[in-house]
Amino acid sequence: MQIIDGNAIAESIITELTAHVSGFTKQKPVVAFIRVGEDPASVSYVRKKQKTAERIGIESRLHLLPEDVSKEALFEQIDVLNADTNVNGILVQAPLPAHIDETETFNRVTPEKDVDGFNTLNIGKLCQEDPSGFVACTPAGIVELIGRSNIETEGRHVVVVGRSQIVGKPAALLMMRKGLPGNATVTVCHSRTKDLPSITRKADILIAAIGRANFVTGDMVKEGVAVIDVGINRLADSSKKNGYRLVGDVEFSSVAEKASHITPVPGGVGPMTVAMLMQNTVRAFQAARHE
Ligand code: NDP
């Protein structure tokens, strides 16, 4: 059984990007973050993304807006960044306050700077297998983990549990696309799926993006399955300094006994999401500069 080291794979991508960016002598890529409010997880995610950008040589800018910001003021900020030719990538950190529609916000970002891959045009390009679009970072990271771990996908049965716009659905599209890693036979499950274990037991590759701690247990998988655990769930743990520990959607101990490959939480998909954001930013820069 191989534990897929997402930290190590993300590090090698960061090293590759750092070398690449050092070759841009006239200008460096610039990514702009917009964070609304003080949600602790968002504060920590944006900080992590900024630190990684800095390591690579990507300039990052942070725009902080209050929790009660109006939609108009947020969109004005996005428009300013859309028009700024020095800015290559724009990321509006989710979740947004309830009074602001996320899809509308993501669509306000010009597709050429949509390094999060949430814009309708980029999702459309993913459906059409048009490589000029940006793929959302978490599903792109999942595919990269599978590819770099030499897990065969062609003709194999991939079961994705979760059908969200940002993880489950794009991950399924990537696994079924013509090419590698891809060419898989894909089943997508969700909360209305009947007899989920009978389906997950048929998976050669299982991608769990559910948002429920330790949901997939050893009796739900077959011997030799490769498991990608996307979930990030906080479980109260008084022995930890911050009062919680992170667990995935997969019960690691029981599933690892049967798996050929498995990603840990933390240290699996999480670091890949950040690495893929950086990759998208460098691509946006190159496309804008025609380098
Ligand atoms: P969503 O809540 O948007 O989607 C969850 C999906 O799981 C839905 O499709 C839902 O079905 C399905 N689901 C919920 N309960 C069940 C059930 N009992 N049986 C079968 N399916 C079920 O979550 P996200 O996709 O945004 O995130 C999923 C997980 O991944 C979360 O833990 C999140 O924190 C984590 N995540 C991790 C990232 C990373 O960088 N590693 C990035 C993004 C997310 P239905 O559609 O019917 O409601």
Side-chain angles (χ1 to χ4, degrees):
M1 195 274 298
Q2 186 192 327
I3 297 178
I4 299 175
D5 187 344
N7 282 319
I9 296 174
E11 268 311 305
S12 51
I13 293 169
I14 288 166
T15 304
E16 288 160 23
L17 289 172
T18 308
H20 200 66
V21 168
S22 70
F24 303 145
T25 47
K26 287 193 210 114
Q27 257 178 315
K28 298 292 181 195
V30 177
V31 60
F33 297 100
I34 300 177
R35 177 161 65 71
V36 179
E38 295 297 325
D39 170 59
S42 295
V43 172
S44 137
Y45 286 144
V46 171
R47 192 181 297 136
K48 172 80 190 142
K49 289 167 187 173
Q50 283 199 284
K51 275 193 178 160
T52 309
E54 197 181 314
R55 283 181 57 206
I56 294 172
I58 296 172
E59 187 191 320
S60 77
R61 299 180 187 169
L62 178 58
H63 300 272
L64 297 177
L65 297 172
E67 182 81 23
D68 61 354
V69 68
S70 67
K71 183 180 98 173
E72 290 71 26
L74 170 62
F75 283 12
E76 208 176 295
Q77 177 65 77
I78 295 173
D79 291 345
V80 168
L81 295 169
N82 280 340
D84 185 341
T85 51
N86 289 319
V87 172
N88 307 111
I90 302 169
L91 183 146
V92 185
Q93 183 64 48
L96 292 171
H99 67 281
I100 297 177
D101 182 79
E102 289 194 347
T103 304
E104 203 187 335
T105 304
F106 299 143
N107 280 334
R108 191 76 179 199
V109 175
T110 191
E112 293 77 22
K113 299 187 183 188
D114 172 37
V115 286
D116 239 350
F118 292 165
N119 188 292
T120 300
L121 188 90
N122 283 316
I123 295 169
K125 284 187 174 186
L126 172 61
C127 292
Q128 293 176 334
E129 304 194 16
D130 176 346
S132 73
F134 290 111
V135 177
C137 302
T138 301
I142 293 169
V143 170
E144 201 70 28
L145 275 183
I146 289 174
R148 290 187 186 232
S149 305
N150 298 315
I151 297 168
E152 211 177 297
T153 55
E154 180 149 326
R156 300 186 80 205
H157 186 192
V158 175
V159 174
V160 182
V161 189
R163 58 175 165 180
S164 73
Q165 297 289 348
I166 62 164
V167 190
K169 206 178 285 179
L173 287 168
L174 288 165
M175 285 291 104
M176 73 169 82
R177 74 183 164 173
K178 289 182 180 167
L180 294 173
N183 282 337
T185 303
V186 180
T187 303
V188 181
C189 304
H190 44 77
S191 67
R192 308 298 170 95
T193 297
K194 290 208 170 78
D195 195 7
L196 181 70
S198 72
I199 300 170
T200 53
R201 269 186 223 116
K202 293 198 179 101
D204 299 315
I205 300 170
L206 180 70
I207 299 174
I210 310 161
R212 287 171 179 250
N214 300 322
F215 182 84
V216 177
T217 46
D219 59 323
M220 292 171 69
V221 299
K222 70 175 180 188
E223 288 286 342
V225 63
V227 179
I228 307 293
D229 186 356
V230 187
I232 302 178
N233 307 290
R234 288 181 178 195
L235 279 192
D237 186 342
S238 55
S239 72
K240 299 279 177 194
K241 216 163 50 180
N242 49 16
Y244 66 84
R245 67 192 158 92
L246 293 181
V247 298
D249 290 343
V250 174
E251 186 183 68
F252 188 88
S253 53
S254 62
V255 174
E257 276 179 26
K258 290 168 116 178
S260 63
H261 299 76
I262 187 166
T263 59
V265 177
V269 176
M272 292 300 291
T273 299
V274 181
M276 300 321 285
L277 174 69
M278 300 301 140
Q279 187 161 293
N280 279 351
T281 303
V282 172
R283 265 195 53 214
F285 171 80
Q286 285 181 289
R289 299 280 172 267
H290 307 289
E291 288 195 37

